[in-house]
Structures are given as structure tokens and as C-alpha cells.
Amino acid sequence: MSLSSVVDRIDALLPQTQCTQCGYEGCRPYAQAIAQDGEAINRCPPGGQDGVKALAQLLSTAEIPLDAACGEHAPLTVAVIDESHCIGCTLCIQACPVDAIIGANKVMHTVAADLCTGCGLCLPPCPVDCIDMQPAQHEWSIALADKARANHQSRQRRLLMQHPEASSLAARTLANKASLSAAAGHDQAAK
């Protein structure tokens, strides 16, 4: 089996939340790290222990406990914006890895709940703390993961077309938005 096929199969088992809790910029880079570099299979909190078990079976390796340092498995949530407090700064839109937030500069934003993966990357950059994570009214499914993967890939292509210069400040800023957002969530000064 080719390396790209192994990466595809690993990626297909990941929940596609693109949350970066694993330490990678998304599910595909984590899948590549597992396949190419032997990264641990237990770094995906959204996938939970069931995800670890599925990866262990796929790779014919031992199932290990979910790495608590990456976070804990939790029920699916979706972002909800208190639209009466939204100032239209677009920082949440820029942080959303699946384009689930709709709005424009200086115009109130809203979340398309059926597109939201519950990653929480929109929370840290919000300067007015008007975003809350609330229980989803549905369970995560393979169909939703496939939709989230497609949305993430579409966003990545769009950003690459807008900023093809790989080493420019704009490209680096957009590429690092999710990790910066995650870091700000743990450091109020960074926010």
C-alpha cells in the first residue's frame, strides 16, 4: 500500500474538526505525521478513544489511551454568536477552518450550525467574547466529517489562490491563524 493511500485511510478515520488540538494544523497533517513520522495515534480528542481504537486497528498496532495533554473527549458542540454583541471584526471568520461563520467587516456575524465542527478556534480571537460553544443538536457522523473535510479543503484552495506567495507575510498569517487562535485561548495576554 502506498504512503498516500495510508494517509488517506488515516485521514478518513479522523473527525475532520480541524481543531489543532493534536498539535498539527488540521486532520490531514496529523494523518501524514502518523503515516510518515510514526506520530502517536492518541492525539485527537474529538475522535476520542473510539478514534484511537479505529486507528490502532487500521495500523495493526496496540490501542493506547487518549493523550490527556491534547485535551479530553467531549460531546459535540457548535459555536453560537450573540449577534447583539458582535462588532463585525471578522477575526472569528479568519480563524474558522471550515468557513462556518458568515458575515462581513463591521457587519454582525452568524454561524452556520450545520457546517460548524465545534473546533472552538473562533473563541480566542473574539475581542468581545460574544461566541459560546453550545451542545450540538446532532451527533457527529462520517457524512459530516466528509462535508467538513471538503469545506476545509475548499477554504485552503481559496486562501492559496488569494495568497499564492508561500513565504509572504499574508500567507504566513493565514497559515498560522488556527494555531495562533488556539494559543490565544490559553493566554489572555496573547488574545
Side-chain angles (χ1 to χ4, degrees):
M1 185 177 341
S2 73
L3 182 61
S4 66
S5 175
V6 172
V7 172
D8 288 343
R9 291 179 71 191
I10 293 169
D11 189 48
L13 293 176
L14 296 173
Q16 303 305 313
T17 58
Q18 314 303 337
C19 66
T20 72
Q21 291 181 68
C22 61
Y24 292 89
E25 288 296 317
C27 296
R28 184 78 181 183
Y30 178 44
Q32 290 170 329
I34 292 171
Q36 295 172 351
D37 305 326
E39 179 63 86
I41 61 171
N42 65 339
R43 300 185 55 81
C44 179
Q49 196 60 41
D50 288 343
V52 174
K53 181 178 183 176
L55 289 171
Q57 289 174 345
L58 172 69
L59 300 171
S60 300
T61 188
E63 180 181 346
I64 55 179
L66 185 64
D67 185 347
C70 296
E72 294 184 19
H73 180 69
L76 181 62
T77 59
V78 294
V80 176
I81 296 175
D82 180 348
E83 297 171 359
S84 65
H85 289 96
C86 177
I87 60 172
C89 69
T90 75
L91 294 174
C92 59
I93 292 174
Q94 295 171 51
C96 181
V98 293
D99 287 337
I101 302 175
I102 302 159
N105 190 31
K106 298 182 183 175
V107 176
M108 170 272 305
H109 303 346
T110 194
V111 176
D114 61 324
L115 300 179
C116 181
T117 64
C119 71
L121 292 174
C122 56
L123 297 175
C126 180
V128 294
D129 294 323
C130 69
I131 306 172
D132 187 33
M133 300 305 290
Q134 297 182 1
Q137 300 301 313
H138 59 274
E139 294 295 320
W140 200 245
S141 67
I142 292 172
L144 289 174
D146 290 343
K147 186 176 184 180
R149 180 186 301 105
N151 290 343
H152 180 66
Q153 290 170 345
S154 175
R155 180 181 195 278
Q156 296 300 96
R157 283 190 301 275
R158 179 177 48 79
L159 293 177
L160 184 60
M161 287 186 341
Q162 288 175 345
H163 302 284
E165 57 285 343
S167 62
S168 75
L169 177 60
R172 286 193 309 270
T173 299
L174 289 170
N176 293 321
K177 191 65 77 175
S179 57
L180 291 174
S181 175
H186 303 294
D187 180 1
Q188 279 302 101
K191 183 176 181 178

